[in-house]
Amino acid sequence: QFLRVTKQYLPHVARLCLISTFLEDGIRMWFQWSEQRDYIDGTWNCGYFLASIFVFINLFGQLSGCILVLSRNFVQYACFGLFGIIALQTIAYSILWDLKFLMRNLALGGGLLLLLAESRSEGKSMFAGVPTMRESSPKQYMQLGGRVLLVLMFMTLLHFDMNFFSVLQNIVGTALIILVAIGFKTKLAALTLVIWLFGINIYFNAFWTVPAYKPMHDFLKYDFFQTMSVIGGLLLVVALGPGGVSMDEKKKEW
């Protein structure tokens, strides 16, 4: 019923959510140009020129990628560009050694994989009526990889303490992420995770309650939009299904 009501605009909402962290970070680069440049120069001792080039690549790459995704033009090139931005930031900000942020960056990559798979579908739909083989393997494995990477976000939310709420959250959350990863009851599990993650995001990352001059404001804002991007990826799973490499698809053969 939910899909029937929302099928016209759910993919658009999913894409907007998915690119929101890149859009916010690109705008941040514009307004915090000197701070970002000084941070990169201080961390890598690379000089103002190279640090400025880094900030420009982040600003231009993210904003142009977002525009292309939202306008549905050259989406595959936009996705590859945004993959490059994720890799660049992972190295430049030493995220590679921070397991929590690394898993969240990988989850962002999973969302982009799903977007890439969707763009391949749209490309094929232009040739409707032309005999083709079954759904291409690259797309199937993009959807599988996207689903598996997306659930890494939830592994960063698990709490290893013994109070009742944490234990219940861990059990339910783990069950849902397994269902999404293996592709069983995928749309329902993904929609449940969207609702759960959105609630957690509003509660824990309410950056609008913190004054803008405090460092915590920027940290919560970044975390909020990064989580919204993962929500966008899950909404794509809800809208498009799990793909060919999933238990839901195999059930049709049984």
Side-chain angles (χ1 to χ4, degrees), residues 104-123:
R104 293 193 172 197
N105 268 17
L106 289 172
L108 279 181
L112 289 177
L113 270 179
L114 292 170
L115 189 59
L116 198 56
E118 184 207 17
S119 70
R120 287 176 63 90
S121 294
E122 290 186 347

Side-chain angles (χ1 to χ4, degrees), residues 10-241:
L10 187 60
H12 302 291
V13 174
R15 287 191 290 268
L16 179 60
C17 289
L18 204 156
I19 58 94
S20 63
T21 191
F22 300 106
L23 187 61
E24 185 274 333
D25 198 47
I27 294 171
R28 182 204 302 261
M29 292 291 169
W30 176 268
F31 286 104
Q32 297 182 0
W33 179 286
S34 57
E35 292 93 331
Q36 297 291 334
R37 180 199 59 200
D38 292 345
Y39 175 82
I40 293 298
D41 182 31
T43 302
W44 294 96
N45 196 26
C46 59
Y48 270 23
F49 178 73
L50 289 178
S52 297
I53 293 294
F54 170 83
V55 177
F56 175 77
I57 290 172
N58 274 271
L59 188 155
F60 179 77
Q62 292 185 100
L63 293 184
S64 60
C66 291
I67 291 170
L68 291 175
V69 168
L70 291 178
S71 64
R72 311 305 296 145
N73 292 311
F74 304 104
V75 175
Q76 295 188 27
Y77 296 106
C79 288
F80 287 125
L82 293 175
F83 276 126
I85 294 293
I86 291 175
L88 183 63
Q89 290 188 350
T90 298
I91 296 169
Y93 293 113
S94 302
I95 292 173
L96 200 59
W97 316 118
D98 188 320
L99 184 59
K100 177 180 176 181
F101 281 99
L102 177 61
M103 291 172 78
R104 293 193 172 197
N105 268 17
L106 289 172
L108 279 181
L112 289 177
L113 270 179
L114 292 170
L115 189 59
L116 198 56
E118 184 207 17
S119 70
R120 287 176 63 90
S121 294
E122 290 186 347
K124 289 177 182 296
S125 70
M126 293 172 62
F127 303 97
V130 177
T132 57
M133 294 180 65
R134 198 179 167 187
E135 186 181 20
S136 64
S137 292
K139 182 195 165 187
Q140 293 182 8
Y141 289 107
M142 281 179 199
Q143 289 177 291
L144 173 63
R147 293 198 322 268
V148 171
L149 290 176
L150 273 181
V151 301
L152 292 178
M153 167 64 79
F154 295 90
M155 297 182 69
T156 68
L157 301 175
L158 299 178
H159 301 286
F160 298 99
D161 48 48
M162 295 308 295
N163 70 69
F164 176 75
F165 179 75
S166 293
V167 171
L168 179 64
Q169 177 177 277
N170 289 350
I171 292 172
V172 174
T174 302
L176 289 171
I177 63 178
I178 290 173
L179 289 177
V180 170
I182 65 175
F184 183 70
K185 300 290 184 184
T186 317
K187 292 185 178 183
L188 180 59
L191 182 59
T192 306
L193 283 175
V194 165
I195 296 169
W196 180 31
L197 188 55
F198 184 74
I200 289 175
N201 200 26
I202 293 294
Y203 183 77
F204 287 107
N205 295 323
F207 64 89
W208 52 88
T209 64
V210 179
Y213 62 85
K214 291 190 175 181
M216 184 57 70
H217 176 88
D218 273 353
F219 175 79
L220 292 177
K221 189 176 182 181
Y222 176 77
D223 215 29
F224 177 88
F225 283 103
Q226 197 173 43
T227 306
M228 288 302 298
S229 289
V230 175
I231 288 174
L234 287 168
L235 285 175
L236 276 181
V237 174
V238 175
L240 305 175

